[in-house]
Short mmCIF file of all heavy atoms in Angstrom, two decimals:
data_model
loop_
_atom_site.label_atom_id
_atom_site.label_comp_id
_atom_site.label_asym_id
_atom_site.label_seq_id
_atom_site.Cartn_x
_atom_site.Cartn_y
_atom_site.Cartn_z
N TRP A 11 0.81 -1.18 -0.01
CA TRP A 11 0.07 -0.05 0.02
C TRP A 11 0.87 1.21 -0.05
O TRP A 11 1.72 1.39 0.83
CB TRP A 11 -0.92 0.00 1.19
CG TRP A 11 -1.83 1.12 1.33
CD1 TRP A 11 -1.76 2.21 2.37
CD2 TRP A 11 -2.77 1.70 0.41
NE1 TRP A 11 -2.76 3.15 2.17
CE2 TRP A 11 -3.31 2.83 1.02
CE3 TRP A 11 -3.23 1.14 -0.80
CZ2 TRP A 11 -4.34 3.54 0.32
CZ3 TRP A 11 -4.30 1.98 -1.48
CH2 TRP A 11 -4.83 3.05 -0.94
N VAL A 12 0.53 2.09 -0.91
CA VAL A 12 1.16 3.36 -1.03
C VAL A 12 0.14 4.47 -0.56
O VAL A 12 -0.90 4.74 -1.28
CB VAL A 12 1.72 3.75 -2.42
CG1 VAL A 12 2.42 5.15 -2.49
CG2 VAL A 12 2.73 2.81 -2.84
N PRO A 13 0.23 5.02 0.69
CA PRO A 13 -0.80 6.01 1.05
C PRO A 13 -0.67 7.21 0.38
O PRO A 13 0.46 7.62 -0.02
CB PRO A 13 -0.59 6.12 2.62
CG PRO A 13 1.05 5.81 2.79
CD PRO A 13 1.21 4.73 1.76
N ALA A 14 -1.73 7.91 0.22
CA ALA A 14 -1.77 9.22 -0.48
C ALA A 14 -1.09 10.33 0.36
O ALA A 14 -1.06 10.34 1.57
CB ALA A 14 -3.33 9.61 -0.68
N ARG A 15 -0.56 11.35 -0.40
CA ARG A 15 -0.08 12.59 0.21
C ARG A 15 -0.90 13.62 -0.33
O ARG A 15 -0.90 13.78 -1.58
CB ARG A 15 1.34 12.76 -0.07
CG ARG A 15 2.39 12.21 0.81
CD ARG A 15 3.74 12.48 0.57
NE ARG A 15 4.00 13.96 0.54
CZ ARG A 15 5.07 14.48 -0.05
NH1 ARG A 15 5.97 13.73 -0.55
NH2 ARG A 15 5.12 15.79 -0.08
N ILE A 16 -1.65 14.43 0.49
CA ILE A 16 -2.62 15.32 -0.07
C ILE A 16 -2.40 16.72 0.61
O ILE A 16 -2.09 16.88 1.80
CB ILE A 16 -4.10 14.83 0.46
CG1 ILE A 16 -4.39 13.52 -0.40
CG2 ILE A 16 -5.04 15.87 0.27
CD1 ILE A 16 -5.66 12.70 0.07
N ASN A 17 -2.61 17.79 -0.22
CA ASN A 17 -2.68 19.10 0.21
C ASN A 17 -4.09 19.72 -0.09
O ASN A 17 -4.49 19.55 -1.21
CB ASN A 17 -1.60 19.97 -0.64
CG ASN A 17 -0.28 19.51 -0.36
OD1 ASN A 17 0.31 19.24 0.76
ND2 ASN A 17 0.52 19.44 -1.45
N PHE A 18 -4.52 20.47 0.92
CA PHE A 18 -5.72 21.22 0.55
C PHE A 18 -5.78 22.55 1.32
O PHE A 18 -4.98 22.70 2.31
CB PHE A 18 -6.99 20.52 0.60
CG PHE A 18 -7.51 20.10 1.97
CD1 PHE A 18 -8.21 20.99 2.71
CD2 PHE A 18 -7.40 18.90 2.47
CE1 PHE A 18 -8.76 20.57 3.94
CE2 PHE A 18 -7.90 18.36 3.66
CZ PHE A 18 -8.60 19.24 4.41
N THR A 19 -6.41 23.56 0.68
CA THR A 19 -6.37 24.87 1.23
C THR A 19 -7.74 25.63 1.19
O THR A 19 -8.59 25.28 0.50
CB THR A 19 -5.43 25.55 0.19
OG1 THR A 19 -5.37 27.02 0.62
CG2 THR A 19 -5.91 25.59 -1.30
N SER A 20 -7.85 26.58 2.06
CA SER A 20 -9.00 27.46 2.01
C SER A 20 -8.50 28.84 2.18
O SER A 20 -7.17 29.10 2.34
CB SER A 20 -9.93 27.13 3.11
OG SER A 20 -9.49 27.43 4.34
N LEU A 21 -9.37 29.92 2.18
CA LEU A 21 -9.01 31.30 2.30
C LEU A 21 -9.75 32.02 3.42
O LEU A 21 -10.35 33.01 3.23
CB LEU A 21 -9.17 32.03 1.13
CG LEU A 21 -8.31 31.44 -0.20
CD1 LEU A 21 -9.03 31.28 -1.42
CD2 LEU A 21 -7.02 32.32 -0.32
N ALA A 22 -9.59 31.52 4.56
CA ALA A 22 -10.37 32.04 5.71
C ALA A 22 -9.66 33.35 6.26
O ALA A 22 -8.49 33.39 6.44
CB ALA A 22 -10.56 31.06 6.88
N ARG A 23 -10.45 34.32 6.64
CA ARG A 23 -10.09 35.44 7.30
C ARG A 23 -10.86 35.42 8.66
O ARG A 23 -11.98 35.98 8.68
CB ARG A 23 -10.26 36.61 6.55
CG ARG A 23 -9.77 37.98 7.33
CD ARG A 23 -10.04 39.30 6.65
NE ARG A 23 -9.91 40.38 7.43
CZ ARG A 23 -10.03 41.66 7.02
NH1 ARG A 23 -10.17 41.92 5.76
NH2 ARG A 23 -9.83 42.71 7.85
N PRO A 24 -10.33 34.85 9.65
CA PRO A 24 -11.13 34.62 10.93
C PRO A 24 -11.84 35.74 11.58
O PRO A 24 -12.84 35.64 12.38
CB PRO A 24 -10.13 33.93 11.86
CG PRO A 24 -9.22 33.27 10.97
CD PRO A 24 -9.03 34.28 9.78
N ASP A 25 -11.34 36.87 11.33
CA ASP A 25 -11.96 38.14 12.01
C ASP A 25 -13.13 38.76 11.07
O ASP A 25 -13.65 39.73 11.38
CB ASP A 25 -10.90 39.17 12.33
CG ASP A 25 -10.14 39.60 11.13
OD1 ASP A 25 -10.31 38.99 10.06
OD2 ASP A 25 -9.43 40.67 11.28
N GLN A 26 -13.48 37.97 10.07
CA GLN A 26 -14.41 38.45 9.15
C GLN A 26 -15.70 37.67 9.26
O GLN A 26 -15.76 36.44 9.52
CB GLN A 26 -14.09 38.48 7.62
CG GLN A 26 -14.97 39.04 6.59
CD GLN A 26 -14.63 38.97 5.21
OE1 GLN A 26 -13.87 38.02 4.90
NE2 GLN A 26 -14.77 39.97 4.50
N LEU A 27 -16.94 38.46 9.42
CA LEU A 27 -18.26 37.78 9.54
C LEU A 27 -18.37 36.66 8.56
O LEU A 27 -18.18 36.86 7.36
CB LEU A 27 -19.32 38.85 9.50
CG LEU A 27 -20.77 38.39 9.58
CD1 LEU A 27 -21.02 37.93 11.15
CD2 LEU A 27 -21.81 39.41 9.30
N GLY A 28 -18.83 35.54 9.05
CA GLY A 28 -19.10 34.40 8.13
C GLY A 28 -17.90 33.55 7.73
O GLY A 28 -18.00 32.52 7.04
N SER A 29 -16.76 33.90 8.48
CA SER A 29 -15.50 33.21 8.01
C SER A 29 -15.59 31.74 8.62
O SER A 29 -15.11 30.79 7.96
CB SER A 29 -14.31 33.82 8.60
OG SER A 29 -14.30 33.92 10.03
N GLY A 30 -16.22 31.47 9.83
CA GLY A 30 -16.35 30.15 10.37
C GLY A 30 -17.15 29.33 9.42
O GLY A 30 -16.99 28.21 9.21
N ILE A 31 -18.38 29.82 8.97
CA ILE A 31 -19.22 29.01 8.08
C ILE A 31 -18.53 28.65 6.74
O ILE A 31 -18.52 27.44 6.43
CB ILE A 31 -20.50 29.97 7.81
CG1 ILE A 31 -21.19 30.09 9.25
CG2 ILE A 31 -21.55 29.15 6.91
CD1 ILE A 31 -22.39 31.12 9.08
N SER A 32 -17.88 29.59 6.27
CA SER A 32 -17.24 29.36 4.99
C SER A 32 -16.11 28.34 5.26
O SER A 32 -15.75 27.57 4.35
CB SER A 32 -16.78 30.59 4.21
OG SER A 32 -15.96 31.34 4.93
N GLY A 33 -15.40 28.54 6.27
CA GLY A 33 -14.14 27.86 6.74
C GLY A 33 -14.48 26.39 6.74
O GLY A 33 -13.77 25.48 6.27
N ILE A 34 -15.49 26.11 7.60
CA ILE A 34 -15.87 24.69 7.84
C ILE A 34 -16.42 23.96 6.53
O ILE A 34 -16.27 22.85 6.38
CB ILE A 34 -16.98 24.61 8.98
CG1 ILE A 34 -16.81 23.15 9.30
CG2 ILE A 34 -18.28 25.11 8.70
CD1 ILE A 34 -17.64 22.97 10.76
N ALA A 35 -17.17 24.86 5.80
CA ALA A 35 -17.66 24.29 4.38
C ALA A 35 -16.35 23.97 3.52
O ALA A 35 -16.44 22.80 2.94
CB ALA A 35 -18.47 25.42 3.67
N THR A 36 -15.38 24.75 3.52
CA THR A 36 -14.27 24.22 2.71
C THR A 36 -13.47 23.05 3.31
O THR A 36 -13.04 22.13 2.64
CB THR A 36 -13.10 25.36 2.76
OG1 THR A 36 -13.71 26.53 2.20
CG2 THR A 36 -11.90 24.95 1.99
N LEU A 37 -13.49 22.94 4.59
CA LEU A 37 -12.94 21.77 5.25
C LEU A 37 -13.70 20.47 4.90
O LEU A 37 -13.12 19.47 4.58
CB LEU A 37 -12.87 21.82 6.89
CG LEU A 37 -11.74 22.57 7.34
CD1 LEU A 37 -12.04 22.92 8.87
CD2 LEU A 37 -10.45 21.93 7.24
N PHE A 38 -15.05 20.60 4.91
CA PHE A 38 -15.84 19.23 4.59
C PHE A 38 -15.80 19.14 3.17
O PHE A 38 -15.64 17.98 2.64
CB PHE A 38 -17.34 19.58 4.88
CG PHE A 38 -17.69 19.16 6.35
CD1 PHE A 38 -17.05 19.74 7.42
CD2 PHE A 38 -18.63 18.11 6.54
CE1 PHE A 38 -17.38 19.35 8.67
CE2 PHE A 38 -18.85 17.64 7.79
CZ PHE A 38 -18.26 18.24 8.87
N HIS A 39 -15.67 20.22 2.27
CA HIS A 39 -15.64 19.91 0.80
C HIS A 39 -14.32 19.30 0.45
O HIS A 39 -14.22 18.30 -0.24
CB HIS A 39 -15.94 21.33 0.11
CG HIS A 39 -15.93 21.15 -1.41
ND1 HIS A 39 -17.10 21.01 -2.14
CD2 HIS A 39 -14.97 21.12 -2.29
CE1 HIS A 39 -16.89 20.89 -3.34
NE2 HIS A 39 -15.56 20.96 -3.51
N GLU A 40 -13.18 20.05 0.75
CA GLU A 40 -11.86 19.53 0.33
C GLU A 40 -11.47 18.35 1.16
O GLU A 40 -10.80 17.49 0.53
CB GLU A 40 -10.87 20.64 0.52
CG GLU A 40 -11.06 22.07 -0.16
CD GLU A 40 -11.38 21.88 -1.66
OE1 GLU A 40 -10.94 20.96 -2.32
OE2 GLU A 40 -11.96 22.86 -2.23
N GLY A 41 -11.95 18.27 2.33
CA GLY A 41 -11.73 17.15 3.08
C GLY A 41 -12.48 15.89 2.38
O GLY A 41 -12.10 14.62 2.64
N GLY A 42 -13.54 16.01 1.85
CA GLY A 42 -14.35 15.06 1.08
C GLY A 42 -13.56 14.49 0.00
O GLY A 42 -13.41 13.29 -0.36
N HIS A 43 -12.98 15.52 -0.77
CA HIS A 43 -12.09 15.13 -1.89
C HIS A 43 -10.90 14.32 -1.32
O HIS A 43 -10.60 13.30 -1.99
CB HIS A 43 -11.44 16.39 -2.53
CG HIS A 43 -12.28 17.10 -3.47
ND1 HIS A 43 -12.86 16.30 -4.60
CD2 HIS A 43 -12.67 18.45 -3.73
CE1 HIS A 43 -13.66 17.15 -5.30
NE2 HIS A 43 -13.48 18.41 -4.83
N ALA A 44 -10.32 14.77 -0.23
CA ALA A 44 -9.15 13.98 0.31
C ALA A 44 -9.54 12.64 0.68
O ALA A 44 -8.78 11.69 0.40
CB ALA A 44 -8.63 14.81 1.52
N ALA A 45 -10.66 12.36 1.28
CA ALA A 45 -11.13 11.15 1.65
C ALA A 45 -11.41 10.20 0.49
O ALA A 45 -11.02 8.89 0.44
CB ALA A 45 -12.48 11.12 2.46
N HIS A 46 -12.01 10.70 -0.63
CA HIS A 46 -12.12 9.96 -1.81
C HIS A 46 -10.83 9.47 -2.32
O HIS A 46 -10.58 8.31 -2.60
CB HIS A 46 -12.77 10.93 -2.86
CG HIS A 46 -12.84 10.45 -4.30
ND1 HIS A 46 -13.10 11.19 -5.27
CD2 HIS A 46 -12.82 9.17 -4.71
CE1 HIS A 46 -13.05 10.46 -6.33
NE2 HIS A 46 -12.88 9.25 -6.03
N PHE A 47 -9.85 10.45 -2.62
CA PHE A 47 -8.58 10.04 -3.23
C PHE A 47 -7.58 9.32 -2.27
O PHE A 47 -6.64 8.55 -2.79
CB PHE A 47 -7.94 11.24 -3.77
CG PHE A 47 -8.59 11.75 -4.97
CD1 PHE A 47 -9.37 12.89 -4.96
CD2 PHE A 47 -8.36 11.00 -6.22
CE1 PHE A 47 -10.00 13.31 -6.07
CE2 PHE A 47 -9.05 11.58 -7.37
CZ PHE A 47 -9.82 12.75 -7.28
N ALA A 48 -7.90 9.39 -0.96
CA ALA A 48 -7.22 8.51 -0.03
C ALA A 48 -7.62 6.99 0.07
O ALA A 48 -6.89 6.14 0.60
CB ALA A 48 -7.18 9.11 1.35
N ASN A 49 -8.78 6.79 -0.46
CA ASN A 49 -9.38 5.44 -0.38
C ASN A 49 -9.54 4.57 -1.72
O ASN A 49 -10.14 3.60 -1.74
CB ASN A 49 -10.87 5.69 0.18
CG ASN A 49 -10.86 5.78 1.77
OD1 ASN A 49 -10.70 4.66 2.39
ND2 ASN A 49 -11.01 7.02 2.22
N ILE A 50 -8.96 5.19 -2.77
CA ILE A 50 -8.92 4.36 -4.11
C ILE A 50 -7.89 3.40 -3.93
O ILE A 50 -6.68 3.57 -3.75
CB ILE A 50 -8.68 5.38 -5.14
CG1 ILE A 50 -9.61 6.39 -5.29
CG2 ILE A 50 -8.41 4.56 -6.42
CD1 ILE A 50 -9.34 7.41 -6.30
#
């Protein structure tokens, strides 16, 4: 087994209104991609 090496990114500015909502959405979205490609 060769495990995946994965990079993912978002653009949060934590002192801006709505950053937590958009930040967690990116984690779930890009983290979903990561789970997919780590499990092939």
